[in-house]
Structure formats: C-alpha cells, structure tokens
Amino acid sequence: TTDANPQNILALTFTDSGATTMRKRLIGLIGTQAYRVRIQTFHAFCHDVISQYPEYFPFGLDSVPASDIQTHSIMEKLLDNPKLTSLRTPGSKYHYLKKILSAINTLKSEGITPSRFKELVQAEVDTFEQTKGSLSKTARTKQEGIRAKQQELCELYIAYQKELRATGLIDFTDMIVHTVDAIRKNETLRTLLQENLQYI
C-alpha cells in the first residue's frame, strides 16, 4: 500500500520452516504478491550475496556451504592426529568434537581469525609463564591444562580453515561473518544491496 515493490523487501529468519511459515502468512495478507518478496534464512541470504558478488569474497566460485556432516567429518579427520593429547580423553579422541566446533564458531562470530587467536593464546601462555611461580601446585596444573587445550584448539582452528578451503567448502558461520564484513567494508556492494533491498 506504499511505494515499496515486493521484490525490494527482504524478510530474514533463522530456519527454513520459519521462512515457509512467513511466506504462508504473507500470502494470507497480500495474496500472490507474496511470492515476489524475498524471504530467506540468514544463511541462504548470505549464500546468495556471495554467489551474486563473488569479487567481494575470498572464496572460489565453486565453493559450497558445508553441511553439519561435512564439518564433523573434517574435524574427526583433524582429531585423528596422534600429536593431539589435551583435547581428547582416554576413552575417545572425538570427545570434545562438538565443543571444538562450537568454540571455533564463537571465535569466528567474534571476528577472531586463526592468526589473531594464535596471538591471544601466545599472550596467555607468556603471562602464565611469568606468574606460574606464585601459584599453588594444583592451580598451576589446572592452568597448564587450560593452556595446552587452548594451544591445541588454535592448531585445530588453523587446520580446519585450511581444510575447508582445500575442499571448496564454506561453513555457515564463515558465510555470515564474511558477508557482514564485505557489506561493512565495500561501499559499492552496500549500495547495490541497498538499491535492491530497500526494506528489511
């Protein structure tokens, strides 16, 4: 009822079922014009932006979103490394798999790259080395365990990103983080999207 064309409206939701529900409700409100409104999950929207404007992203044109099964499979492969000792238990080398992937997603969401995380972990190790003499034996042992896990997590984060690139995959967090980053940094991309998507 205003000056907005349906194709200039973007509706975002978290799940595919949410997008389907939004479409059904919109059909009830405005009829068949609802099919012209762009209703997507955040991940689908980011994938479309990456596909339409590949020159703004560090991915190859053949890169595809990684499924949960693929990300788990990559991490299992990385956890098979016998040099890892802290991020495993005597009963299972995959015990921390879900927590590791969750930690990596959190780091990415916070904009902490593998190289930046390596710097932060090294700073923690340096601080610990300077102060460990003042700690009790129990506290020192606990802190040593934490530092060892952080260092292995850092190695896994670096290896995980390399493996994603080598296999032509993008995980869901990367899709969102890189899209947000590209929109923030590139005025041309931002303007193109603003012209096409005037209402969110």
Side-chain angles (χ1 to χ4, degrees), residues 109-120:
S109 298
E110 294 295 329
I112 300 172
T113 62
S115 58
R116 177 61 182 146
F117 186 52
K118 189 173 183 178
E119 291 172 3
L120 293 170

Side-chain angles (χ1 to χ4, degrees), residues 72-128:
H72 276 70
S73 178
I74 288 170
M75 190 52 67
E76 281 182 5
K77 177 183 169 184
L78 297 174
L79 288 170
D80 285 337
N81 181 351
K83 292 180 180 178
L84 297 173
T85 56
S86 297
L87 287 177
R88 59 175 60 196
T89 64
S92 173
K93 57 187 172 184
Y94 306 129
H95 179 80
Y96 291 108
L97 189 148
K98 287 184 179 178
K99 288 184 178 180
I100 291 166
L101 285 173
S102 176
I104 289 172
N105 282 332
T106 299
L107 288 165
K108 290 182 180 184
S109 298
E110 294 295 329
I112 300 172
T113 62
S115 58
R116 177 61 182 146
F117 186 52
K118 189 173 183 178
E119 291 172 3
L120 293 170
V121 169
Q122 189 56 54
E124 288 287 321
V125 169
D126 293 344
T127 301
F128 172 67

Side-chain angles (χ1 to χ4, degrees), residues 38 41 52 63 84 152 155 166 171 176 183 200:
R38 195 167 172 179
T41 63
Q52 290 170 20
S63 294
L84 297 173
E152 288 191 356
E155 291 172 23
D171 73 11
I176 291 177
I183 291 170
I200 301 174

